[in-house]
Amino acid sequence: MNQRFRITAEDFRQFSVFLEQSCGILLAEHKQYLVQSRLGKIMKEQSCDSLSDLVDRLKRPGGNALKDAVIDAMTTNETLWFRDIHPYEILAKRLLPEYASERRGQKLRIWSSACSSGQEPYSISMVIDEFKRTTPGALSAGEEILATDISTTILQQAQKGEYEMLALGRGLSQDRLKKYFVASGDGSWQIRPEIKARVRFQNLNLLGQYASLGQFDIIFCRNVLIYFSSDVKIEILRKMRRQLKPGGYLLLGASESLSGLSDIYKMIHCRPGIIYQAI
């Protein structure tokens, strides 16, 4: 049970400002319960009795380790295998065949921009594996999936490629479990090396710059923009456009939409599902 601590309206406001400036996440006023549940362990470790104590420490110079721990705790790491299914069907049936046909001899690069504990990039890698098995000779130049997240802790977990059965049961079919995982003997399952080898993990704050990441054919930016203000969301999407190759594709979450950016993205209805193409 997390330790309860005091939160005044002003403490919450100051903490919300810190969080938005650090990683772009907007905390609604009714989300005080989220702060209570996620920060209890840190508050206990730091011997803080109130949120104002923690805010004061976060403002001090040289407190990067504490800042990182707080951001880790507050960023959402809940995810599924093949979440919402449609993006993966679009990838398998439309985007990969199109790429294999039109860009022979070029290495495919995909960016999973909020990869959490690895389910999204590993799901993408499985789709690529299935496509290559049914389309001999396709993607002969190879493929790379860059998976980024702001949380260093969750990235370390994702890199291991090891999951408990409870996590595997969320969206992963029995067929794919047998095909792509090996039982470790301690109740956990390890993803197969050939699926893992396509994925490279890297720490990245979406509020920062992306130029060093290079150009991509496809960007998955799913279920993360909902946490940002409209202005920050537009800024992120403009920066992502600069990392997309001409004609490249952007895939958003099921509850996310792109508005006001028709000068750089073209909406494509896939029925079911919507994707956006770089203009």
Side-chain angles (χ1 to χ4, degrees):
M1 181 68 67
N2 283 331
Q3 174 180 302
R4 303 286 294 180
F5 51 90
R6 296 191 305 277
I7 301 179
T8 67
E10 178 58 19
D11 294 345
F12 185 77
R13 187 194 69 77
Q14 288 193 35
F15 180 75
S16 298
V17 169
F18 158 77
L19 198 63
E20 185 176 7
Q21 290 177 346
S22 301
C23 58
I25 290 179
L26 282 175
L27 270 184
E29 288 185 15
H30 66 279
K31 292 291 180 75
Q32 289 198 18
Y33 74 91
L34 200 62
V35 176
Q36 283 279 6
S37 64
R38 299 246 174 136
L39 295 185
K41 183 180 177 184
I42 291 174
M43 296 291 286
K44 188 173 183 179
E45 289 171 349
Q46 296 292 320
S47 299
C48 293
D49 295 323
S50 67
L51 191 59
S52 63
D53 291 344
L54 184 65
V55 170
D56 287 342
R57 295 187 193 192
L58 290 169
K59 290 178 179 177
R60 294 175 191 168
N64 290 336
L66 178 58
K67 290 176 184 176
D68 289 347
V70 169
I71 291 170
D72 268 1
M74 291 304 300
T75 47
T76 301
N77 299 319
E78 189 73 14
T79 188
L80 305 169
W81 298 93
F82 297 91
R83 186 170 182 175
D84 303 324
I85 201 61
H86 299 318
Y88 300 97
E89 292 180 342
I90 293 168
L91 178 65
K93 297 175 182 177
R94 177 171 182 152
L95 303 189
L96 292 181
E98 179 183 304
Y99 188 88
S101 171
E102 298 180 3
R103 305 204 181 190
R104 292 176 182 271
Q106 295 183 38
K107 185 175 185 177
L108 172 67
R109 294 195 77 224
I110 299 177
W111 177 16
S112 170
S113 64
C115 70
S116 189
S117 46
Q119 280 88 333
E120 180 175 272
Y122 288 141
S123 293
I124 294 169
S125 186
M126 290 179 212
V127 170
I128 290 173
D129 183 79
E130 290 166 351
F131 175 72
K132 293 182 77 168
R133 286 172 184 267
T134 57
T135 317
L139 306 180
S140 57
E143 53 289 322
E144 178 192 41
I145 302 162
L146 177 67
T148 66
D149 201 275
I150 192 173
S151 169
T152 52
T153 303
I154 207 70
L155 282 173
Q156 289 169 1
Q157 181 182 328
Q159 282 177 312
K160 291 178 182 176
E162 192 170 296
Y163 299 90
E164 300 296 325
M165 183 50 77
L166 184 64
L168 290 170
R170 307 189 69 215
L172 191 71
S173 68
Q174 281 297 307
D175 179 56
R176 281 178 170 142
L177 173 64
K178 292 174 185 174
K179 191 190 299 182
Y180 294 122
F181 288 83
V182 178
S184 297
D186 59 355
S188 63
W189 293 68
Q190 180 74 44
I191 199 158
R192 289 192 176 273
E194 63 269 26
I195 300 302
K196 195 176 179 182
R198 287 191 189 93
V199 185
R200 178 169 66 86
F201 292 95
Q202 182 175 326
N203 179 244
L204 182 80
N205 187 335
L206 288 176
L207 296 188
Q209 299 303 313
Y210 317 153
S212 64
L213 303 181
Q215 296 281 293
F216 297 93
D217 302 288
I218 302 166
I219 296 177
F220 279 67
C221 181
R222 310 193 63 250
N223 309 300
V224 65
L225 294 178
I226 51 174
Y227 300 108
F228 300 136
S229 68
S230 297
D231 290 345
V232 171
K233 182 168 85 168
I234 288 173
E235 181 188 353
I236 287 171
L237 290 170
R238 286 197 177 277
K239 288 190 293 186
M240 285 188 169
R241 168 59 188 88
R242 292 195 285 271
Q243 302 312 125
L244 270 174
K245 294 178 184 177
Y249 294 99
L250 171 71
L251 285 75
L252 301 181
S255 62
E256 297 167 323
S257 61
L258 191 155
S259 58
L261 293 172
S262 57
D263 58 323
I264 56 174
Y265 290 105
K266 177 173 71 174
M267 182 188 293
I268 297 175
H269 291 270
C270 296
R271 297 180 176 81
I274 293 172
I275 60 176
Y276 299 89
Q277 187 172 29
I279 296 174

